[in-house]
Amino acid sequence: MTVHTHPTTPFDDQRPGTSGLRKAVTVFRQPNYLENFIQSVFDCVPELAGGLLVVGGDGRYYNVTAIQTLLKIAAANGVARAVVGRGGILSTPAASHLIRRRGAAGGFVLSASHNPGGPDGDFGIKFNGANGGPAPEALTEGFYARSRGIDRYHLLAAPDLDLRHDGEIRLGGMTVEIVDPVADYAALMDGIFDMPAIRRLFADGFRMVFDAMHAVTGPYAVAILEHRLGAAPGTVINRVPLEDFGGHHPDPNLVHAAELVARLSGPDAPDFGAASDGDGDRNMILGREFYVSPSDSLAVLAANAGHVPHFAGGLKGIARSMPTSQAADRVAAALGIPCYETPTGWKFFGSLLDAGRISLCGEESFGTGSDHVREKDGLWAVLMWLNVLAGRRLSVAGIVREHWRRFGRTFYGRHDYEAVETAGANALIAELRALLQQLPGCTLGGRRVLAADDFAYVDPVDGSRSERQGVRIVFEDGARIVYRLSGTGTAGATLRVYLERHRSDPADHDTEATVALAELAATAAELAGITRHTGRTVPDVVT
Ligand code: VG1
Ligand code: CO
C-alpha cells in the first residue's frame, strides 16, 4: 500500500456553517470535493499526525463511502490509530464522548443531522477537537481558507475495509479499531443518572414511547431504555437506522414527528414521549397531550437537576443560545448562578464547559446538554427527564405547570421560512440592520422598544469575538423578536424568526402559544417586510 499525492483544484463553497460543512449528496459526490475538505482539516490540525482519530456518522446514505475515503486520507496523513464505530455508526454525542475518553486528537462526525438523507438528500462532515466539541469558529474559518488554496491531497491506495465487525485492521501505517458504538456511551449514562430509580419507575408501570425516526439513536435507545432500564419491548419505535430515514426528515418537532405526537394523544396514551434527530444530538419531550418547548425544557431541567446524581453538588452555571427563551435565566437567578448568552451553535458552549463555568446548556432548536460531553445530547436529555420524573413522581405536564407557577411562563415560538430566495433574505436582514439605531423608543404593535442590536459575542473565557449573530429587538415588557438566517440549510436561505413573551399570572398560562404570540408575530412580519422580501405570507414550520 502506497501513499499517493493527488493534484486537485479548490471549490469555493466549503465554508462550514453552524454545524460543519453541510451540502446535498450530489455536491459531495463531485470528484475531489470530500477529499479537498478532509485534507484541508488535516493541513490545519497537525496534531492528527501521529495521533488518535475518532470516526463515525449517523448512517445516512454516503456515510460508509465517505468513511472509506476518510480513513485512506487519515492513513496517508500519518494518523496512528483511528477508532471507528461498527458499521460506521456513531451518534454525535457518542463520538464526542469517545474523543474525550480515548484522548483523541480529534474526530470526524459524518452527518447532516436533521436534514433529510438519501441520494437526493443531504450529507455533512464536522470536525471536533480534542475536547470532544465542534471546532471553534477560528478553526473552521481556517479550514475554509485552506480549502480555497488547496492543490493536492494525500490518499493511501488500498482496498475498502470491512467495518462490520469489532476488532483491529491495519491500513498502511495506521491501525483501525472498530468498536461497539453504544457500549462506552451507555456506561457514561450509567455514571450520570440514578438508573435504579428510573428502573423502578418503569417497573411501577410508567410507559413511554421513544421515536428514533429511523436514525442513529435506535440502537442506543433500545440498549439503554429497553434493555438496561426495563422499558417495555417496543418502547422504541422506528428503531432501525435507514440510509434515507424512511423518506422522512429525522427532525424531532411537532411537524416531522407526527407519529409520536399521535401516540401521545388520547386517553390510553403513555406517560412520556421523546424523539431524537438524525445524529442523536436533539431531543423533543412530550407528556400525555402535552408539548414541552425546548426553552422550557432547559429551564425545568435546571430547576430539577438536584434529582440527578451527576449534579448533586449543584449547577455551576447555565448557558443558552441568544434566540433561546429567557426561561432559563430566571432559574439561574433563583439559584444564584450565572447564565451566559451565546450565539447559535454548540461550538460556542465549548469554552464555557471546558472552563467549568457552566453545567447545563441548551438551544431552542431541541438541543440540551451538559458538561458530560461537548455536544448536545438527545438521549441524555431523555434520561434527564426520566430521572426527574422518577424523583418527583408527577406527570410531565404537572412538572411544567408547577414550574410556570413558580417562575411564570415564557411563551415561545420560532417561525421558519425555508428555501426562500437568498437575495431577498439577505436584503431583509440588511434592511433590519439599517433600522436598528432608530428603533429604541419607538412603539411597535403597542410595545415600546427598549433596545435593538445585531448580536455580537465576546467569549468570556478566550476573548474571541463573533459578530452579526442575529438581529434582536427587546421590548420594555421583556418580549423579544429575533431574526437570523440559518447556517445549516442547503437550498436557498432559511429565515428564522424567534418570538417570546413572559406572563407571570397563572390565569394566562393555559393560552395556546400561537395565540399568546399572535400580535408579536404580526409585528415581526410587518417590521421585517417578510412578505415583501420572501413572497411568503405564512411560515413553513412553527416550533
Ligand atoms: C440549527 C439550529 C441551531 C443548531 C444547529 C445544529 O442551526 O438553529 O440551534 O445548533 O441547527 O443542529 P441554523 O443555523 O440552521 O439555525 V444539528 O442537530 O444540525 O447539529
Ligand atoms: Co443533530
Side-chain angles (χ1 to χ4, degrees):
M1 285 185 255
T2 49
V3 171
H4 290 294
T5 297
H6 299 262
T8 187
T9 49
F11 296 86
D12 61 4
D13 65 344
Q14 297 197 321
R15 174 178 248 148
T18 315
S19 195
L21 183 68
R22 204 170 286 186
K23 301 280 176 195
V25 169
T26 48
V27 173
F28 267 103
R29 281 179 134 171
Q30 298 170 87
N32 296 348
Y33 193 88
L34 183 69
E35 291 83 348
N36 277 14
F37 185 73
I38 295 169
Q39 183 64 53
S40 300
V41 174
F42 279 102
D43 289 345
C44 292
V45 189
E47 309 87 88
L48 290 172
L52 193 145
L53 177 73
V54 169
V55 180
D58 65 8
R60 70 177 58 224
Y61 181 81
Y62 208 54
N63 187 47
V64 175
T65 312
I67 288 177
Q68 298 288 358
T69 303
L70 170 49
L71 291 174
K72 290 170 200 173
I73 297 176
N77 279 279
V79 169
R81 177 178 281 266
V83 177
V84 186
R86 190 197 312 126
I89 294 286
L90 280 177
S91 77
T92 286
S96 181
H97 176 54
L98 259 187
I99 293 170
R100 297 164 65 76
R101 196 177 128 68
R102 300 292 299 264
F108 283 94
V109 182
L110 293 95
S111 170
S113 189
H114 54 285
N115 296 31
D120 301 319
D122 290 337
F123 192 72
I125 183 161
K126 180 171 63 169
F127 180 75
N128 286 23
N131 74 343
E137 224 177 31
L139 194 53
T140 57
E141 285 297 305
F143 301 159
Y144 176 56
R146 177 63 192 138
S147 78
R148 303 199 64 176
I150 196 153
D151 58 2
R152 54 91 187 100
Y153 62 86
H154 309 300
L155 186 111
L156 187 81
D160 283 356
L161 301 179
D162 183 352
L163 302 175
R164 290 173 302 172
H165 312 284
D166 296 1
E168 292 193 357
I169 314 173
R170 292 294 293 178
L171 185 64
M174 182 172 87
T175 302
V176 178
E177 179 185 344
I178 299 167
V179 299
D180 179 341
V182 177
D184 280 348
Y185 178 82
L188 176 69
M189 296 299 118
D190 277 346
I192 293 175
F193 298 107
D194 185 348
M195 300 301 256
I198 303 175
R199 224 172 277 133
R200 281 196 298 277
L201 181 72
F202 283 118
D204 290 346
F206 182 89
R207 292 183 302 138
M208 78 171 283
V209 178
F210 179 88
D211 189 349
M213 304 191 87
H214 288 304
V216 79
T217 46
Y220 294 86
V222 170
I224 295 172
L225 299 175
E226 295 189 13
H227 298 167
R228 290 189 180 222
L229 291 171
T235 291
V236 180
I237 61 171
N238 299 319
R239 57 169 65 197
V240 178
L242 298 176
E243 284 197 335
D244 67 346
F245 309 115
H248 299 292
H249 286 239
D251 192 354
N253 62 38
L254 294 177
V255 176
H256 294 303
E259 180 184 351
L260 178 72
V261 174
R263 292 267 202 128
L264 268 290
S265 55
D268 194 38
D271 305 280
F272 182 53
S276 191
D277 70 333
D279 61 330
D281 57 359
R282 296 188 177 206
N283 73 93
M284 177 171 71
I285 300 296
L286 302 174
R288 188 178 294 148
E289 313 251 357
F290 194 87
Y291 164 72
V292 184
S293 107
S295 294
D296 274 351
S297 180
L298 174 65
V300 167
L301 291 179
N304 289 280
H307 291 277
V308 177
H310 181 76
F311 299 113
L315 301 178
K316 294 172 187 155
I318 306 174
R320 62 164 173 82
S321 69
M322 183 274 280
T324 303
S325 97
Q326 299 164 91
D329 305 36
R330 295 172 188 275
V331 178
L335 293 173
I337 57 174
C339 186
Y340 299 88
E341 186 174 40
T342 60
T344 293
W346 212 261
K347 58 189 166 204
F348 293 102
F349 294 131
S351 64
L352 295 168
L353 291 164
D354 286 347
R357 295 216 194 181
I358 57 169
S359 308
L360 281 183
C361 43
E363 297 191 278
E364 47 64 41
S365 52
F366 302 89
T368 329
S370 87
D371 53 7
H372 70 291
V373 288
R374 294 294 179 271
E375 290 276 9
K376 57 190 183 268
D377 190 342
L379 255 182
W380 168 90
V382 172
L383 293 168
M384 187 90 187
W385 265 95
L386 283 170
N387 200 152
V388 170
L389 288 162
R392 303 212 40 196
R393 296 281 175 148
L394 285 170
S395 69
V396 172
I399 289 175
V400 176
R401 285 184 198 286
E402 189 209 87
H403 186 93
W404 291 342
R405 279 195 295 277
R406 182 166 167 216
F407 294 98
R409 176 172 180 188
T410 307
F411 289 95
Y412 190 80
R414 183 175 101 176
H415 293 199
D416 293 335
Y417 299 82
E418 295 177 344
V420 301
E421 207 202 306
T422 306
N426 288 338
L428 180 150
I429 296 289
E431 281 184 22
L432 280 172
R433 282 186 179 131
L435 261 182
L436 285 174
Q437 289 198 333
Q438 306 158 31
L439 287 178
C442 292
T443 301
L444 302 174
R447 286 195 165 77
R448 259 172 77 88
V449 177
L450 182 68
D453 67 354
D454 192 352
F455 183 55
Y457 178 66
V458 179
D459 186 306
V461 181
D462 64 24
S464 60
R465 209 180 150 80
S466 303
E467 312 271 355
R468 301 182 142 213
Q469 297 293 326
V471 169
R472 171 168 73 160
I473 297 164
V474 184
F475 295 91
E476 274 179 359
D477 65 352
R480 295 195 311 168
I481 301 173
V482 173
Y483 305 86
R484 60 179 283 281
L485 299 183
S486 160
T488 59
T490 54
T494 291
L495 169 69
R496 304 204 195 285
V497 183
Y498 310 80
L499 310 165
E500 78 173 273
R501 176 183 174 213
H502 185 262
R503 307 296 286 164
S504 305
D505 187 349
D508 295 330
H509 291 173
D510 284 330
T511 314
E512 286 281 337
T514 46
V515 174
L517 295 168
E519 281 174 18
L520 207 56
T523 303
E526 193 187 313
L527 177 68
I530 292 179
T531 304
R532 178 166 52 89
H533 286 295
T534 68
R536 306 285 177 86
T537 51
V538 286
D540 297 283
V541 182
V542 175
T543 47

